[in-house]
Amino acid sequence: MSEMELAVEKLKGDSGDPGIEALLRRMKPEKPTGKACPKCGKRIPVKARDRERTVRSLSGPVTFKRNYHYCEECKYGFYPVDRLLSLPEEGELTSEMEKRVLDFAINDVYGECAARWNLHYQQPISENLLRRVIARVGAQCEAADQGQLQHELKPTEDLADVLVVESDGSLLPIRGPEPWKEAKVGVVYRHDREASEPIADSARYVAVVNGLGEFAPVLEEALHVERIEEVPTVVWVGDGAVCNWTLADQLAPDAIQILDWHHAVEHAVDCGKVLLGEESPWLPLWQQRAETLLSEGPDAVVAELMECIPEVEKRRRDRAEALEALNNLVGYYRNNQRRMNYRLLREEGLPIGSGAVESAHRHVLQTRMKRAGQRWSLRNARRMARLHAAYRTAGALGFYDAIRRTSCAGASRRANPGAIRNGFHYARYGARDMNRCARTASN
Ligand SMILES: [Zn+2]
């Protein structure tokens, strides 16, 4: 059976190129008349006739001729036939090929992609081709109007009842003098109060390498597409890092802020380790007690921690260290007091954990970008992070077309500034905020 199948596939492959070329020949011949500039709409005469282009299609290379036009005003050259065929402006692939190469490249390291590709298709591709496609489409993804891109990736018609926002940072291995660079991931999803769980397939992701200054406006666009200002309940779950709350105050001033439950417990356990010892058999009991008190709310836990102080002061060993741990924990809870009404939040069916952004870190960044031995150039890291977030938002089937649509729309909008949406005010992110967050980013 394998032999038969492969023989038929080969037959299909061999008849492919003439087939595509025959179909291309059926198109009406291109008239050498003026064509509308995609940017300004003016009629532009032909600048050069019958320029040849060869692209790799699913059934092999295909060559055709088309006219070139150049708009002096926009400083923009274009091929109407390429646009008619929805071919990528640059590169050596048809859209269908580029879409598939991108799907491989985004999901695996390039060396393995090339090998896996050969299992699926007859014509081999090189690692370099995979790299070029990521660079090309990644650049489009980065340059796109982020609001429009979010809309194309996941259109929203109805309004969420509860919208949850989470953001988090982690470090990526980068080539060059600065070996690590912070990557920020944000996730926005809809939450079902009745079932007290996230609504399936409602999540949108954003990922930006290079700190909060660039991350904030991208996350803001994702929130804007969800019409955050009209959503009845917005919830922002964070790990307690100050810059998280600064961001929440700026982007969603009316949101209910919630300190992630697991971080609240983890801090208590860390303090327990200092007070009782790393290996203490009492630690599980300590954690259990902390959880019981935390589920009541911040007052109960702070009151009981304060009662520990006289006991700690009687200690002979490690007194200063123990007091400091206790102090830090009380400070952490007090700073986040209004974000810790866990009992009430549970009753309301609202989420109290930031599990979504932690898992987003794994599937948006780590699985592809933090493999053993990987070091990224900053430019490629930025592009790959953006592509991955888009991929996870739209899914394998929709994401390439969403980027292409946004990118094409962008070309005509840039030429027509009146069409640029007014509204969002990145200027709010003053330099002072940026520096403050850079300092606290290590929390
Ligand atoms: Zn023009």
Side-chain angles (χ1 to χ4, degrees), residues 133-172:
V133 167
I134 286 284
R136 205 152 57 218
V137 186
Q140 285 170 19
C141 196
E142 212 173 18
D145 175 318
Q146 297 298 311
Q148 169 118 26
L149 179 61
Q150 280 296 334
H151 177 73
E152 294 285 356
L153 291 169
K154 185 167 271 175
T156 44
E157 284 102 36
D158 57 330
L159 201 60
D161 175 35
V162 179
L163 196 65
V164 185
V165 190
E166 298 175 19
S167 67
D168 196 7
S170 77
L171 296 172
L172 283 178

Side-chain angles (χ1 to χ4, degrees), residues 37-42 44 71-76 78:
C37 164
K39 299 204 174 203
C40 67
K42 272 199 199 115
I44 307 297
C71 174
E72 292 288 348
E73 222 156 286
C74 300
K75 305 267 171 274
Y76 181 66
F78 60 98

Side-chain angles (χ1 to χ4, degrees), residues 161-162 164 189-200 235 258 342-353:
D161 175 35
V162 179
V164 185
Y189 66 91
R190 296 169 175 219
H191 181 84
D192 181 347
R193 256 179 205 234
E194 301 269 299
S196 194
E197 63 181 25
I199 294 173
V235 167
I258 298 173
Y342 297 120
R343 189 164 54 87
L344 201 69
L345 294 164
R346 277 191 174 123
E347 281 167 13
E348 300 266 325
L350 294 174
I352 59 167

Side-chain angles (χ1 to χ4, degrees), residues 287-307:
Q287 174 169 349
Q288 208 180 20
R289 182 69 185 152
E291 284 173 4
T292 308
L293 291 169
L294 280 169
S295 59
E296 280 308 304
D299 296 341
V301 71
V302 168
E304 195 153 320
L305 287 169
M306 296 304 283
E307 281 171 26

